[in-house]
């Protein structure tokens, strides 16, 4: 009985002194659950069990600002989208802010601007840009916004658009001539071709610039996180961190809107 009394007294003292923290858990930072794919270079990729990439660096910088710990939830892109929709993750990086998506999610301020581009087989000599795509087949990732961007530049539906699950499937299809081209993000294509030594090349000029931001569910938790993330992103923009991270990965500052850049405004749509 004496030992029990002493134990209870010691516990009471620890509690009063703020030392009873459930094995340190009370000091653990809140968690931000982020959906990611394991092979989304240069935005996301896993190296020695650690998440790396442009969007990873951005999200880590945001988490540091708001004093959160990131829990990376990894699956293929279709799984990432499903996890976001069902609330299994709080947000997703490299997600274009579009009017259609705003019906489901509230977005943070943008952290970079994305443009679409085409990739073809390295040996292809007949496709030089969108103007050459009439009657040809273009592949896109299932669930990707870039398929919709392509449609914006093909008002007469003269391009045959097909979708696949998995980038490697598309890379192989383009390289083998099973499809004529692949539409995706400019930086994704450049990064993947260089990183994987793919027998592909990027053609034409970037088109369909979209702002990329962090989506959140339309609920109390989502709105709370969005406000915190907005403040963090504004601070990271002001102190030059967004610019620094962008230049680290792409040798250029993608955190500024390139809408006024001539190369993104002189795209010739599909020829009639």
């Amino acid at each position: 009985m004496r030992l029990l009394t002493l134990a209870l007294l010691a516990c009471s003292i620890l509690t009063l002194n703020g030392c009873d923290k459930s094995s340190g858990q009370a000091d653990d930072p809140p968690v931000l659950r982020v959906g990611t794919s394991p092979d989304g270079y240069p935005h996301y990729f896993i190296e020695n069990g650690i998440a790396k990439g442009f969007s990873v660096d951005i999200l880590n910088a945001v988490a540091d600002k708001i004093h959160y710990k990131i829990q990376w939830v990894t699956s293929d892109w279709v799984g990432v989208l499903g996890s976001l929709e069902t609330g299994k993750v709080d947000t997703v990086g490299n997600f274009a802010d579009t009017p259609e998506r705003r019906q489901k999610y509230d977005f943070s301020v943008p952290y970079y601007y994305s443009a679409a581009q085409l990739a073809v087989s390295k040996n292809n000599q007949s496709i030089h840009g969108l103007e050459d795509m009439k009657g040809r087949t273009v592949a896109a990732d299932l669930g990707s916004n870039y398929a919709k961007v392509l449609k914006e530049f093909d008002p007469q539906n003269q391009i045959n658009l097909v979708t696949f699950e998995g980038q490697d499937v598309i890379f192989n299809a383009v390289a083998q001539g099973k499809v004529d081209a692949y539409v995706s993000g400019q930086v994704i294509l450049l990064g993947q071709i260089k990183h994987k030594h793919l027998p592909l090349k990027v053609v034409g000029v970037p088109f369909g610039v979209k702002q990329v931001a962090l989506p959140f569910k339309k609920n109390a938790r989502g709105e709370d996180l969005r406000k915190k993330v907005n403040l963090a992103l504004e601070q990271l923009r002001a102190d030059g961190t967004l610019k620094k991270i962008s230049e680290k990965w792409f040798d250029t500052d993608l955190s500024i809107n390139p809408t006024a850049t001539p190369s993104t405004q002189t795209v010739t749509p599909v020829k009639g």
Side-chain angles (χ1 to χ4, degrees):
M1 179 65 70
R2 178 177 175 82
L3 290 176
L4 178 60
T5 302
L6 289 173
L8 290 172
L9 178 60
C11 184
S12 299
I13 294 172
L14 288 172
T15 301
L16 289 172
N17 287 334
C19 297
D20 184 7
K21 307 270 188 177
S22 300
S23 300
Q25 292 181 5
D27 284 334
D28 288 346
V31 173
L32 179 67
R33 301 165 301 166
V34 180
T36 178
S37 55
D39 191 22
Y41 189 94
H43 287 280
Y44 299 101
F45 61 99
I46 305 299
E47 186 173 273
N48 298 323
I50 299 173
K52 296 183 178 180
F54 168 63
S55 288
V56 170
D57 283 356
I58 295 291
L59 280 154
N60 281 332
V62 167
D64 286 343
K65 282 286 186 184
I66 65 176
H67 307 295
Y68 271 63
K69 177 182 178 181
I70 292 183
Q71 176 187 344
W72 301 105
V73 181
T74 304
S75 64
D76 60 26
W77 184 242
V78 175
V80 169
L81 296 178
S83 293
L84 179 63
E85 187 165 346
T86 58
K88 293 180 180 178
V89 298
D90 296 308
T91 193
V92 174
N94 192 32
F95 199 67
D97 178 356
T98 66
E100 182 181 22
R101 287 173 171 174
R102 285 196 172 207
Q103 295 178 18
K104 285 186 177 182
Y105 309 108
D106 289 327
F107 282 82
S108 71
V109 296
Y111 70 91
Y112 96 101
Y113 292 83
S114 170
Q117 202 159 5
L118 296 175
V120 300
S121 168
K122 196 172 183 178
N123 298 321
N124 188 300
Q125 300 299 320
S126 62
I127 298 176
H128 306 285
L130 273 177
E131 65 274 12
D132 300 318
M133 294 310 302
K134 180 180 178 181
R136 299 179 187 263
T137 300
V138 177
D141 295 287
L142 184 64
S144 166
N145 183 63
Y146 295 111
K148 296 173 184 176
V149 173
L150 180 67
K151 284 298 185 183
E152 293 174 9
F153 287 81
D154 180 28
Q156 297 180 23
N157 293 318
Q158 297 179 98
I159 296 176
N160 178 28
L161 180 67
V162 294
T163 57
F164 294 88
E165 282 193 50
Q167 284 187 331
D168 288 339
V169 175
I170 300 178
F171 292 145
N172 289 331
V174 176
Q176 296 170 15
K178 295 179 179 179
V179 296
D180 297 300
Y182 174 30
V183 62
S184 189
Q186 176 194 26
V187 297
I188 295 173
L189 292 174
L190 292 172
Q192 290 278 6
I193 290 171
K194 179 179 179 180
H195 182 61
K196 294 183 175 180
H197 307 289
L198 299 172
L200 307 179
K201 62 182 178 181
V202 173
V203 296
V205 296
F207 58 92
V209 174
K210 304 290 183 184
Q211 66 180 31
V212 181
L214 299 173
F216 295 93
K217 294 280 286 185
K218 293 178 179 287
N219 55 31
R221 175 177 171 81
E223 180 60 15
D224 178 60
L225 286 171
R226 189 181 70 87
K227 289 179 178 179
K228 292 175 179 177
V229 167
N230 274 349
L231 182 59
L233 285 172
E234 295 290 8
Q235 292 173 345
L236 293 169
R237 182 178 298 280
D239 67 19
T241 301
L242 295 187
K243 180 177 185 291
K244 182 178 179 180
I245 293 174
S246 181
E247 290 179 340
K248 167 188 171 182
W249 287 97
F250 308 121
D251 296 324
T252 189
D253 184 8
L254 297 180
S255 69
I256 57 175
N257 192 334
T259 299
T261 303
S263 65
T264 62
Q265 296 300 303
T266 57
V267 179
T268 301
V270 182
K271 291 180 181 178

